[in-house]
Amino acid sequence: MIMPLLQGLKITFLHMFKKPVTLQYPDERPNVVPNFRGLHGLKVSHERAKCVACYLCPTVCPAKCITVEAGEDANHDKFAARYEIDMLRCIFCGYCVEACPVDALKMTQEFELASYKREDFVFVKERLLEKK
Amino acid sequence: MVNLTIDDKQVTVPKDATIFDAAKAAGIRIPILCHDKKLHPFGGCRMCLVEVEQMKGRQIPACTTPVTEGMIVRTTTDEIIKARKMVLELLLLKHPIDCPVCDAAGDCDLQNLTYEYKVNANRFQDEKFQHKIDYENPLIERDMNRCIHCGKCARICDEIVSFGAYTFMNRGIEAKIGTEFDGPLNCEFCGSCVSVCPVGALVSRPFKFKARWWSLNKVKSVCSYCGTGCQLTLGVKDNKVLTTIYDENQGFHNGQLCTRGRFGYQFVNSDKRLSTPLIRKNGTLQPASWDEALTLVSAKLVEAKNAGGKSVAGLVTPRLTNEELFLIKKLFKDGLGSDSIDHSAGYAHAALTAGAAESFGSAASPSVISDIQNADLLLVVKTDAYETHPVVGFEINLGVKRKEIDLRIISDKRGKLSKLPKAVTYVHKPGQEVALVNALAQVLLADNLQDSTATGVEGFEGLKQQLEAFAPEKIAAACGLDADTIKTLARDYAKAAKALIILPLGLGYPGHGKALAQALANLALLSGKVGKEGCGVLFLGEKNNSQGAADLGIYPTAGGADADAILAGCQSGSIKTLIVAGENPVVSYPDRKRVEAALDKVEFLVVQDLFLTETAAKAHVVLPACSFAEKSGTFTSVGRAVQQVNQAIKPVGEARSDFAILNGLLAGLTGNAPYADAAAVFAEIAATVPAYAGLTIAGLGDTGAILPVTVKPRFVAAETAAVTAESGKFALVTGSALYHCGTMSRFGEGPMHVCPEGYVELGRDDAQALNVKDGDTVAVKSASGELRLKAKVGTRMPQGVVFAPYHFDEASVNSIAVGAPVTWVSISK
Ligand code: SF4
Ligand code: SF4
Ligand code: SF4
Ligand code: SF4
Ligand code: SF4
Ligand code: FES
């Protein structure tokens, strides 16, 4: 009866002499692993988003939080005239990244997504474009 | 019948079937790329390879190989799968594989088969195609890099559309589908090639990049342009009609559409649509609430009703559904006590409501569309039958080319139909149709070629007497055809075992009225060619529900005023309230000046329409109505086919369907409860209109129903109207342009891209004499006015005759034409 209790206390005491696992966030920053699935980023190449508005990510998205509208540019090519992700609905499954046929989408290590207003959770194309 | 075994299944098929057909009958799917059930077998892609035991396991194409007795076929052996994979690898070799930006993705046969056969690597290597993409026209984009050389586009354009815009050019790996001199595509833009292209080589530009195929909601409906009544599938997303989708199993036409049906849908979501009711206040139309607008209209109607109903009249478009037409007729009859209601200017339906009604005993064609292909001889009145009803035109093309139907056309000009193999066009002087048809009938009598049944028909003796004046010799000179030609035509018609007469109707054809219908009916009855397969007279009503409007009595049936009298009544002040539902008389009725004066004069004008048309701009109250995509109901089209229209989107803005508007007004006036829905009204139609007896809206299903008709024949002498030629002037004939139907197509981007404005078409000789070149602006002057129109110079028009389409507001041809079959005009630069 008393043995399990002592066993537990032993672990507690041992931890008193180890490095703490918690972080003093936000003074201390976590070390986010590279394959963490945080905020999306639209990759840029040749000064423009790589996304060709193929509509595969909105199709595959189980939370239906991606809105794409294709446009036709001066060369008659397809581009995403509108690209939005509603982060309030996103479940960070990463299917969109997997579906993208042109490797235009990634998920960054960005996890601080809190906001004061609902509208601010809708990330439009400009906000998603990869920062240099 | 032939018996064979496919993949161990026993199949029995007709002896002209191919292995592909047999497999399909047995429910076995053989992959295809270049085969189409509507086209002649081609055998170009080798995707459909199968093995036949009797041929020692050799691989042969299923789509071109006819079945033989006892054949044992295997459709999927390892060898075949290997061969099919190879076919795909070779097709993908020079293919761009840019599915992410290709509109065909998701509905692409090449993509689907590549996935199915798991072709994920290619043993071969080559450069990709580097063809220039054709972006020149606004409707069809041609990217020959994606083409797999199935030849379907070239074949459909030749075999069915009979235009022949494409052909294969160059050899071997250089081969591609080319246009005339490899230039930009310039054709009818019917979109048939786009619909059959199995890949993304031909795409619809108005729909380009708008949405993915799989995200579209597909709603079956019926085209709302002409009377052919083509079934179509609307592609809908986010309450917008984005495209029309091809479904080869729809309708008698196998999903084929003309340029209006295929590319003219944009009017539904046009930003010019009216979104709120408008009421005229201090001289201008201002937005108002529905309550305010309807209260005002109801008050006026109650006033009119209390005054006895004589002072209220209606002009109704035959584009409304049967249910809406029923409601408006009921509103006038029971609600207001008025019989002054009409459509299509009164004359564009007279061929049915007066002509057919007297001669055949009911206001409907005794023939149906399938009679076209079952006939031995077709007698078409005016080459314009192609322009007014293009998909009926496809049926004629097919009949002439596949079944060698003898095509005879009596017309005041030449046209596309004239170019069909062995077609004979009898070009007569404008306005002489009735005389010419009477002469044909006279020849039958003179030669004793009449059918034995004819003599017993009421009115035979009278007709015989009347026709004496129409002996070919007597009318030849006036008709501009020689007597022998007329006689040969009459004899050929009489001798054909099965012969069908086709008569297009419409606002552009004032001459195609009661008299012409009766002359044709006499001809058909005399030769005993009514009530049999492949025979009779097929009236092509102009609008999507012209036949419905005739069935439901949208014309004065108890001595009320017709369209002409209604306008006169507005002018004189005897008609004080006019309801215009969807019609646009200012542009489409003859004599624009008179129509405008009448509408300006009428005390209270209510217009229900989708757009602020030229007519609506004159109204006191404008009610925003719904397009066919926003409502459910039925249309009755050419050949008495009743078909279902299904609501695809919610009403645009605050618009309400004519059904809702009329239902409310009717309930208000009669004090009865409003109808629950279209089905309830259809039930009442079925109970009161004999032809619809026993039908229910649900029972119509996807295919629709053909209304029954009983012919009670009667000979009625067809009166000719004198045409007095004015020397030195041109005979102006009006009509429809291929890309337009009525005035609604002006709000579709597609038709407006190809044919944006009115024109006057002249023959080469006349143009030369006037020193006019194609594209010049000319002044066209008649007794009633003058217009400046662009000249179109071609080979269609005979000397002294010019043609102008009627659909347009600017330079609307009704400002010079006043409703006579021929208008005499002078033309100068
Ligand atoms: S899957 Fe990729 S290319 Fe396609 S829409 Fe999404 S981000 Fe753009
Ligand atoms: S044609 Fe088919 S296979 Fe070719 S790019 Fe388009 S979708 Fe892909
Ligand atoms: S749009 Fe019609 S007419 Fe033009 S090329 Fe295609 S099939 Fe032929
Ligand atoms: S354009 Fe399309 S329909 Fe025409 S041959 Fe090429 S793949 Fe076939
Ligand atoms: S033929 Fe008439 S009904 Fe058919 S698609 Fe063309 S306009 Fe529509
Ligand atoms: S489908 Fe048979 S060869 Fe193309």
Side-chain angles (χ1 to χ4, degrees), chain B residues 757-762 774-778 788-792:
Chain B
E757 56 185 357
Y759 56 85
V760 57
E761 190 176 348
L762 310 106
D774 198 69
D776 285 357
T777 312
V778 294
R788 296 193 67 76
L789 289 167
K790 219 179 225 166
K792 194 168 151 181

Side-chain angles (χ1 to χ4, degrees), chain B residues 6-21:
Chain B
I6 306 179
D7 288 349
D8 302 324
K9 262 196 200 170
Q10 293 288 334
V11 203
T12 310
V13 286
K15 66 174 189 301
D16 59 352
T18 59
I19 299 180
F20 176 80
D21 300 331

